[in-house]
């Protein structure tokens, strides 16, 4: 039912976790996110679930709650993709900068 699906989304939103790994470079530890593929798949599954609920004729009674989830998951998707790009650039550039690629001031 729609109520059960929304309860599932709420439970996922409170229990979902991001896996972190301690990345060490030049003696400095930086936590980085791992398991991006699983994270994006899980979020996509939840967005698909919500999308399928919207197609139901009985969704109007739950439209407010569904709209909140839709907005938050869309924002989370954007934020995670941006974070993924930033992290990839950081992991690539950090060793370059540590070797002294920039001129000393």
């Amino acid at each position: 039912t729609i109520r059960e699906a929304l309860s599932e989304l709420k439970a996922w939103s409170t229990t979902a976790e991001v896996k972190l790994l301690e990345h060490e470079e030049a003696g400095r530890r930086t936590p980085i996110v791992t398991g991006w593929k699983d994270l994006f798949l899980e979020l996509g599954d939840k967005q698909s679930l919500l999308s399928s609920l919207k197609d139901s004729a009985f969704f109007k009674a739950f439209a407010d709650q569904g709209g909140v989830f839709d907005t938050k998951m869309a924002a989370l998707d954007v934020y995670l993709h941006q974070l993924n790009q930033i992290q990839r650039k950081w992991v690539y550039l950090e060793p370059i900068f540590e070797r002294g690629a920039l001129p000393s001031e």
Side-chain angles (χ1 to χ4, degrees):
T1 67
I2 294 174
R3 189 179 318 268
E4 291 169 348
L6 290 174
S7 293
E8 177 186 333
L9 288 174
K10 186 174 183 176
W12 176 80
S13 71
T14 59
T15 60
E17 295 181 352
V18 175
K19 297 173 189 165
L20 297 175
L21 174 72
E22 288 288 327
H23 172 73
E24 190 167 339
E25 181 72 32
R28 182 178 50 233
R29 295 173 139 185
T30 306
I32 60 171
V33 177
T34 61
W36 285 106
K37 185 178 178 180
D38 294 337
L39 189 59
F40 288 134
L41 282 173
E42 195 172 356
L43 179 58
D45 288 346
K46 299 306 178 193
Q47 287 176 311
S48 295
L49 172 63
L50 185 57
S51 179
S52 68
L53 293 177
K54 288 181 184 179
D55 294 337
S56 170
F58 305 106
F59 185 72
K60 289 182 182 180
F62 303 96
D64 290 344
Q65 191 178 6
V68 170
F69 279 119
D70 190 34
T71 302
K72 288 183 178 182
M73 285 193 292
L76 180 61
D77 187 50
V78 169
Y79 299 149
L80 288 176
H81 277 89
Q82 289 175 344
L83 180 61
N84 180 261
Q85 288 179 341
I86 292 167
Q87 179 177 294
R88 287 173 43 169
K89 289 177 184 177
W90 170 261
V91 170
Y92 173 76
L93 291 173
E94 184 183 23
I96 295 170
F97 290 137
E98 284 295 322
R99 286 192 305 252
L102 296 177
S104 299
E105 295 185 80

